[in-house]
Amino acid sequence: MPALKVEFSDRELEDLRQIAKERGTSMKALVREAAAADIVRHRALKEGAEVFRRFFTQHADEFAAAFPEDEPPRRGEGRAA
């Protein structure tokens, strides 16, 4: 299995030791679990953003009608420079 060397400050390392001890797990398992949880979170955020973009695109006209003040000015409209 591929490995990754990760460096921590003395304080971080001591904190990791303490947390692992409190949870009854190894430091390696603790760090791996944290990284895996962050990967899951990152994927969920990306998927959620894509769902939102699709929804917004599909309902763009409705949003424009409901919030006209948030619409960008069209060409030729707006303030003169």
Side-chain angles (χ1 to χ4, degrees):
M1 177 182 287
L4 173 68
K5 180 179 177 181
V6 180
E7 295 180 10
F8 296 98
S9 69
D10 291 340
R11 174 67 192 263
E12 291 168 333
L13 201 54
E14 185 54 40
D15 289 345
L16 284 171
R17 279 191 190 103
Q18 185 61 37
I19 293 167
K21 182 178 178 181
E22 289 171 7
R23 294 185 185 179
T25 190
S26 67
M27 289 176 40
K28 183 177 179 179
L30 181 70
V31 172
R32 187 176 189 302
E33 181 181 307
D38 197 49
I39 291 167
V40 168
R41 179 181 167 275
H42 180 74
R43 286 178 182 159
L45 287 172
K46 283 179 66 175
E47 290 172 13
E50 182 54 36
V51 168
F52 176 79
R53 277 198 246 2
R54 271 196 313 268
F55 179 83
F56 188 83
T57 299
Q58 291 170 351
H59 299 277
D61 292 338
E62 296 165 61
F63 281 108
F67 306 103
E69 66 279 2
D70 291 336
E71 287 297 298
R74 294 182 184 167
R75 282 189 180 223
E77 293 181 3
R79 297 181 204 159

